[in-house]
Each structure stands twice: as C-alpha cells, then as structure tokens.
Amino acid sequence: MKAEMVMIGTVAICCANVLCLEKIMKEAPNSSALVLIVNYILIIGETLLRKPSTLSSPSVPLSNYLIITVLNFSHSLLNNMALAYNVDMPTVLIIRSGSILANMAVSIVAFRRSYPISKYLSVTMVTVGIVMATLASAEEKKREESEEGYGRWLIGMGMLIYSLFASSVMGVFQEKLFAKFGRDVKEEALFYSHFLGLPNFIFQWSALIASVGEFSASPPLEMIPGVPRLWALLVLNLALQNIGLRGIYWLLSEWSSLAVTMVTTVRKFISLLLSIFLFSNPFTSSHWIGSVLVMVGSGLFALPEKKKEEKTE
C-alpha cells in the first residue's frame, strides 16, 4: 500500500512540476538560464552537504567529465529554451518521449547493439507518433504565425531534437565512465557534470541579470505579501522536481524498472492532458493520435522479453 501511495504522490508531484515550469516560461520566456543555474546550485549544494569530500578528492580524473558536462549543460538549457521559441509544452512532452528512439539509435551506433523485433516495432510506433504530432504542429504554426514566428518555431524544434540526442549521447559517455570506474562514482559524476558546467553561465550573464530583474519585479503573492510570484514559482518548481526525483528513485528500489517506466509514461500523458486543458494549448486529432502512439509505443518498449533483451554483436 505504501508503494502505491508513493506512486500516486510521485505522479501528482511530477505533473505539478511540469505545469509549474510551463507557468514560469509563459510569464518569463527568456528565463531558461536562471531556472537552470538555480537547479545547478541546488544539486551542487545538496551534494556538498551530504559528502563534502566530493570537491576535494574526486575519485575520477576531471578530464573524464568534460564531454558529459558540455552535453549536460547544452541539452538542459536548450530543452527549456525551446519554450521561448513558440514551442508549446505538449509538443515538448511528445518530443521528450522520443528518448527511446534516440537511445536505441545511439546504442546501435556506439555499442553495435541489436534488439528484438518487438523493440523496433515499438520504436517505429513512437517515431510515427512524433512525426504526426510534429507535422500537425507545423501546420498549426504555419497557419497562425507569421513567417518570423514560424521560423522561431523551427529553431525551437531544432533545439528539442538536439537536446533529445545530446541526452542519449551523454548516456553513452556515462555508461562508459561507469564501466571504467564503477557505478559508485554515480553521485560524483552528477556533482561534477554540474559543478564544471558553472563557467558556461558566463555566456548567459546578460540573460541571467535580466531574468533576476524580471523575477524580482513580478507581482507579489497574495498569500505572502512581498514575495514576488515568479521567485515563489521557481522555488516551488525546484522543490517539486527534487521530491519527484526522490519518489522515482524510491520506486526503482521497490518495483521493477518496467513498473516505474509505466508510471513515468502515465505521468507524461497526464501532464500532456493538463497542459492542454489548463493552458489552452492547441491540440488537433493528429496530435491526439500521435501522442497515443508515442505513449503506447513507450509502454510496449518497456515490456520484458522472454529471451535476453539486448545482445552485443
């Protein structure tokens, strides 16, 4: 019963986190860098509080983290920045659900892996669903936006696609890192992939200063006078994200990875529905068909095989 309650709570919290981020990005479209740096500081600070020696005595040469650091920073920044380029949250959620497509493609190239035919069929469903939803969004943007607005949407979609594959490539480098140094360095890798990424924010300095001013000038909360609403939303977003991640990790320790994958798939679909209805995001029949194909394909991909699921040639 405890696991079921944690599952329901985790789904609710993760959905609230997505909606909170969408609310922030709608009110402050250019705040991606600020949202990201605060998240970086939270992860770095939390790690140092738990294990201060992480900074003074790393067990892995720092050069091994450089590529992971660049990929982590770029994919995280562009993932949120796409929302400022006329890409709505439902489209972002659908594209992000294509991670199994990107992971499979990168694994085939990097590790020469092969998969059962059922996995290829599942990924085909996801791919068709993403293409349908993307083409539907493109048609919508062409009809509603100016040529400049449509161009910005194309840039935003490019950011999402890069982010999708950058995340998968980063996973390959992490997998190789853990194979070489062991999985005990997982927390250290998380810390340094963020700590070493801090200098990248120098290039976002002007955007950071502008966002700080915008957040500070936002209207105060009615329930807490004097507290700017955008700062409160940012704190809430980070708190929900942290609690949601802990819930996912707890479920992974209690349930199979299949069950947790199903939970995250349901969470994405609920987030999609809430974003459509609460923020009045346009969603056509092609979007619906595409999103269902993506979610069903993702669920089928997680189903275990009777034989060995993957093999290396």
Side-chain angles (χ1 to χ4, degrees), residues 101-132:
L101 164 64
N103 289 340
M104 176 181 279
V106 171
S107 294
I108 290 172
V109 172
F111 296 113
R112 298 290 187 268
R113 284 177 177 162
S114 61
Y115 294 82
I117 188 66
S118 61
K119 303 298 183 188
Y120 292 111
L121 292 174
S122 299
V123 169
T124 300
M125 286 182 67
V126 171
T127 305
V128 171
I130 290 174
V131 170
M132 283 188 67

Side-chain angles (χ1 to χ4, degrees), residues 162-295:
Y162 166 82
S163 178
L164 189 68
F165 282 91
S167 178
S168 296
V169 172
M170 183 175 71
V172 168
F173 281 98
Q174 288 174 328
E175 193 169 338
K176 290 183 176 181
L177 182 77
F178 298 149
K180 184 176 181 180
F181 296 99
R183 291 198 169 268
D184 291 338
V185 302
K186 191 173 183 179
E187 187 174 9
E188 179 184 300
L190 177 66
F191 171 80
Y192 278 104
S193 65
H194 289 79
F195 180 75
L196 296 177
L198 288 177
N200 290 314
F201 287 100
I202 294 173
F203 303 103
Q204 298 291 321
W205 187 251
S206 59
L208 284 171
I209 296 299
S211 294
V212 168
E214 186 176 10
F215 274 52
S216 300
S218 63
L221 288 174
E222 292 183 5
M223 60 186 73
I224 312 177
V227 178
R229 185 173 70 244
L230 284 175
W231 283 117
L233 283 172
L234 180 56
V235 171
L236 179 62
N237 172 252
L238 293 172
L240 291 172
Q241 178 176 287
N242 189 270
I243 297 170
L245 283 174
R246 290 180 183 277
I248 292 293
Y249 284 131
W250 190 89
L251 289 173
L252 281 169
S253 69
E254 297 291 323
W255 288 354
S256 68
S257 59
L258 168 61
V260 177
T261 299
M262 293 301 184
V263 169
T264 56
T265 300
V266 169
R267 188 268 300 172
K268 289 177 183 177
F269 194 67
I270 294 174
S271 297
L272 182 71
L273 296 177
L274 290 173
S275 178
I276 293 167
F277 293 116
L278 293 180
F279 292 98
S280 301
N281 287 309
F283 218 67
T284 65
S285 58
S286 295
H287 284 104
W288 281 112
I289 296 171
S291 61
V292 169
L293 285 172
V294 169
M295 299 304 169

